[in-house]
């Protein structure tokens, strides 16, 4: 008896599209697993100012995204390392001449402390037990320019506010 070869029927094709769409939606919703909403102070040249940094962390490729901040360039992605005690990451200042650089240059923190225009690198660590963020702001020579001290509130996909639009 010869075997009958079957092709994709319209119903089978529609079912495959629906299953693929459901899987893609779930993958996008789980892009980041942890959100850190951090508030505290930045200390530069003996002066202190309120600061905030909202980070989104993704485990599968160890990426951290700066979602909101008045200290760091928003939208920048960085690699993070997770130890049993800390999440640690390094953020680089945007390259001069780009759109991100010009937007960041006009931020309230750089207007408050123009010396931070020389900022090159920010090293951050977040304690995984206490949710305290500590950071060092360095110039191009590796000299300390300022410090960040913040308290973070951890959130997950289940308890963070969804975008309104």
């Amino acid at each position: 008896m010869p075997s009958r070869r079957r092709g994709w029927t319209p119903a089978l094709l529609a079912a495959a599209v629906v299953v693929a769409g459901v899987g893609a939606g779930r993958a996008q919703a789980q892009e980041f697993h942890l959100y850190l909403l951090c508030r505290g102070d930045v200390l530069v040249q003996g002066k202190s100012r309120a600061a905030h940094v909202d980070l989104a962390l993704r485990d599968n490729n160890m990426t951290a995204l700066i979602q909101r901040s008045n200290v760091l360039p928003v939208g920048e992605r960085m690699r993070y390392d997770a130890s049993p005690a800390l999440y640690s990451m390094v953020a680089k200042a945007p390259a001069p001449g780009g759109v991100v650089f010009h937007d960041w240059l006009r931020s309230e923190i750089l207007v408050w402390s123009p010396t931070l225009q020389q900022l090159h690198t920010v090293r951050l660590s977040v304690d995984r037990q206490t949710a305290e963020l500590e950071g060092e702001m360095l110039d191009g020579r590796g000299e300390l320019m300022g410090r960040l001290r913040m308290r973070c509130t951890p959130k997950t996909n289940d308890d963070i506010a969804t975008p309104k639009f």
Side-chain angles (χ1 to χ4, degrees):
M1 222 183 224
S3 65
R4 214 167 119 179
R5 195 167 173 199
R6 291 185 162 191
W8 286 90
T9 64
L12 190 56
L13 185 58
V17 168
V18 168
V19 169
V22 168
R26 182 171 292 142
Q28 288 176 346
Q30 297 299 319
E31 182 175 355
F32 294 101
H33 78 285
L34 178 64
Y35 302 87
L36 298 172
L37 312 178
C38 307
R39 306 290 177 267
D41 297 310
V42 60
L43 180 67
V44 177
Q45 295 180 336
K47 298 185 294 183
S48 179
R49 174 121 176 166
H52 63 269
V53 176
D54 292 355
L55 301 168
L57 279 61
R58 184 176 182 179
D59 262 350
N60 68 350
N61 64 1
M62 306 305 277
T63 298
L65 171 68
I66 301 168
Q67 291 189 300
R68 217 177 70 119
S69 180
N70 67 340
V71 181
L72 301 175
V74 174
E76 288 296 303
R77 289 184 184 263
M78 56 195 143
R79 181 167 163 33
Y80 76 89
D81 293 309
S83 74
L86 301 169
Y87 290 113
S88 56
M89 57 205 84
V90 176
K92 300 286 185 182
V99 173
V100 173
F101 178 78
H102 290 295
D103 288 345
W104 180 66
L105 198 58
R106 291 190 303 250
S107 73
E108 67 183 70
I109 207 76
L110 292 181
V111 170
W112 168 73
S113 180
T115 60
L116 288 179
Q117 291 180 11
Q118 304 303 313
L119 183 65
H120 186 266
T121 304
V122 179
R123 292 190 298 216
L124 303 172
S125 63
V126 180
D127 188 297
R128 293 181 72 175
Q129 299 303 313
T130 64
E132 292 181 16
L133 179 144
E134 294 182 1
E136 295 180 331
M137 306 170 88
L138 309 169
D139 66 11
R141 298 184 314 267
E143 302 280 328
L144 184 66
M145 299 180 71
R147 293 192 182 277
L148 295 167
R149 298 254 187 237
M150 298 185 185
R151 179 87 174 139
C152 300
T153 303
K155 301 279 186 179
T156 65
N157 282 324
D158 295 332
D159 58 2
I160 193 148
T162 56
K164 300 293 182 202
F165 53 91

